[in-house]
Amino acid sequence: MKRLLVFLGFTFPILGQQDSTKKSALHLYAYAEAYYLLAPSNTSPYLKDPIFFNHSQANQVDLNLGILGMAIKKGPINVQVSGMLGTYALRNYAHEPLIWRKIYEMNITYQLAKKWSMLVGIFPSHIGFESAKNAENWTLSRSFVAENSPYFESGIGFYFKPNPAWTYSLFALRGWQQIQAFRPALGTQIVHQAANSWTWNSSGFIGDEGNGLRLFHDFYVLVPLSKNLTAILISDIGYQKDFWHGEALMIQAILSDKWKVAGRIEQFSDEKSILLNPQNAIQSASIGVNFSPFPKILLRTEWRVLQANNQKSDVHSPEYLFALVLGK
């Protein structure tokens, strides 16, 4: 199956198919992210600490995320269905029944009016700057704020876009990254994106996760420092019987059409181990280089140092991460 995904990744550019009408289209796609995580402090293969949902297998080549999917668009309706496998799916969907562990997306979008749309099903989270798909992220590894907030959601979303600069969204969800279980929750999002200027995002969540009411807010602001240099500041805060919070600063430099460099410094604090167990605080810094020899092929490498405050933690530092990403 892994060989099949890699093969489809290489043939990705010819998989998309459009029909002969302008009002209807079928698109098939594939995506694959293979990686090797080198941890010199422990040279034998091992599984990383449970707080890491991406690139969790160290010292061996593995597949973080492979996707096969299709999209159908006809008039105001857009259907997305895709399956997945990889170490990301094994960890992040471990709490779900087997039938749902292979579903990356399964949703329908309906354009209600010119400025209104509705989304129903399983879809990427409205929270956070980073995605489960590595090709969409500045850095190869994920930040702690990304790893400790939802990558996916299930439920219903309503979007209102009065003009190109503003988007308002409201979500009725089945819970904090839940598909099978039903823990009613609400999500909100406001995005302001000015032309050639700052972008800021405010995303919220409120719901009972079975051990008390969870309140959460994600905020980030993206600042263009120059034509080819951009920074983003991220701040998350949550409460469920006690507070946790995380902050990250990322900077990306575009050197050319093929080369990019990105760095990140961050910290995450969870004194009562609501999300981090047994850690109560962790910090890291990283820098990476990205090379795209062809439009849908991306070679990435990253050096990362980590420090955990809890002596019982199983965090190894430094780490060297290498990845081959096929598709977008």
Side-chain angles (χ1 to χ4, degrees):
M1 182 59 74
K2 291 182 181 179
R3 293 180 181 179
L4 174 62
L5 281 168
V6 173
F7 171 78
L8 288 174
F10 276 112
T11 58
F12 177 88
I14 66 172
L15 284 177
Q17 298 183 11
Q18 304 287 336
D19 72 4
S20 58
T21 70
K22 294 183 179 180
K23 295 183 179 180
S24 179
L26 169 65
H27 179 62
L28 305 177
Y29 58 90
Y31 173 89
E33 178 191 333
Y35 72 96
Y36 181 80
L37 173 63
L38 174 64
S41 61
N42 184 355
T43 56
S44 60
Y46 70 91
L47 284 172
K48 292 182 65 178
D49 193 277
I51 66 171
F52 299 99
F53 293 94
N54 287 275
H55 312 118
S56 57
Q57 186 71 52
N59 295 321
Q60 71 177 44
V61 176
D62 217 321
L63 180 71
N64 188 60
L65 179 61
I67 300 173
L68 289 175
M70 71 173 184
I72 303 172
K73 183 172 177 60
K74 186 174 179 63
I77 299 175
N78 185 37
V79 179
Q80 294 270 357
V81 179
S82 58
M84 66 176 172
L85 54 77
T87 56
Y88 159 79
L90 289 174
R91 280 217 165 176
N92 206 32
Y93 291 71
H95 63 285
E96 296 288 349
L98 187 60
I99 188 174
W100 297 118
R101 295 181 192 176
K102 304 299 182 183
I103 303 298
Y104 180 74
E105 276 188 292
M106 185 184 291
N107 58 68
I108 299 174
T109 302
Y110 184 74
Q111 193 71 37
L112 300 168
K114 183 179 180 181
K115 299 178 180 180
W116 289 88
S117 61
M118 179 177 68
L119 174 64
V120 180
I122 303 169
F123 45 85
S125 172
H126 73 285
I127 295 173
F129 176 71
E130 296 167 81
S131 163
K133 293 176 68 174
N134 191 268
E136 299 174 353
N137 299 329
W138 286 8
T139 58
L140 175 51
S141 67
R142 307 305 197 276
S143 65
F144 298 131
V145 291
E147 294 282 56
N148 289 281
S149 60
Y151 280 111
F152 70 91
E153 297 170 331
S154 64
I156 303 173
F158 295 92
Y159 301 84
F160 175 55
K161 193 174 182 65
N163 55 59
W166 290 93
T167 304
Y168 303 89
S169 308
L170 179 65
F171 301 87
L173 304 171
R174 297 183 63 89
W176 178 272
Q177 201 164 242
Q178 298 287 342
I179 299 176
Q180 179 77 10
F182 182 57
R183 297 170 178 167
L186 288 176
T188 60
Q189 185 177 32
I190 302 174
V191 180
H192 177 64
Q193 186 173 11
N196 301 318
S197 185
W198 292 30
T199 297
W200 67 263
N201 173 96
S202 171
S203 299
F205 175 94
I206 178 171
D208 191 337
E209 285 302 297
N211 190 28
L213 187 67
R214 177 172 295 182
L215 304 172
F216 180 82
H217 183 261
D218 162 74
F219 175 81
Y220 66 78
V221 57
L222 189 149
V223 184
L225 303 176
S226 68
K227 181 180 178 180
N228 296 316
L229 188 66
T230 309
I232 182 168
L233 178 63
I234 305 171
S235 177
D236 283 8
I237 186 169
Y239 179 85
Q240 185 177 320
K241 296 184 178 180
D242 211 311
F243 287 97
W244 74 87
H245 63 92
E247 296 78 34
L249 172 65
M250 289 187 275
I251 297 177
Q252 182 189 67
I254 301 175
L255 306 181
S256 69
D257 291 341
K258 297 180 182 294
W259 291 93
K260 296 178 182 178
V261 176
R264 181 182 65 230
I265 55 174
E266 59 178 330
Q267 80 86 33
F268 198 91
S269 179
D270 182 9
E271 293 185 1
K272 300 298 182 181
S273 296
I274 299 168
L275 300 179
L276 300 184
N277 189 14
Q279 287 82 5
N280 53 35
I282 189 168
Q283 305 86 34
S284 86
S286 64
I287 187 167
V289 178
N290 308 310
F291 173 60
S292 180
F294 303 102
K296 294 178 181 178
I297 297 179
L298 182 61
L299 301 173
R300 314 192 75 173
T301 183
E302 182 178 292
W303 171 80
R304 189 182 192 185
V305 291
L306 305 101
Q307 177 178 306
N309 292 15
N310 195 314
Q311 297 299 319
K312 297 180 180 179
S313 67
D314 188 27
V315 173
H316 299 269
S317 182
E319 293 180 344
Y320 303 90
L321 187 56
F322 308 90
L324 169 63
V325 183
L326 306 171
K328 288 186 176 180

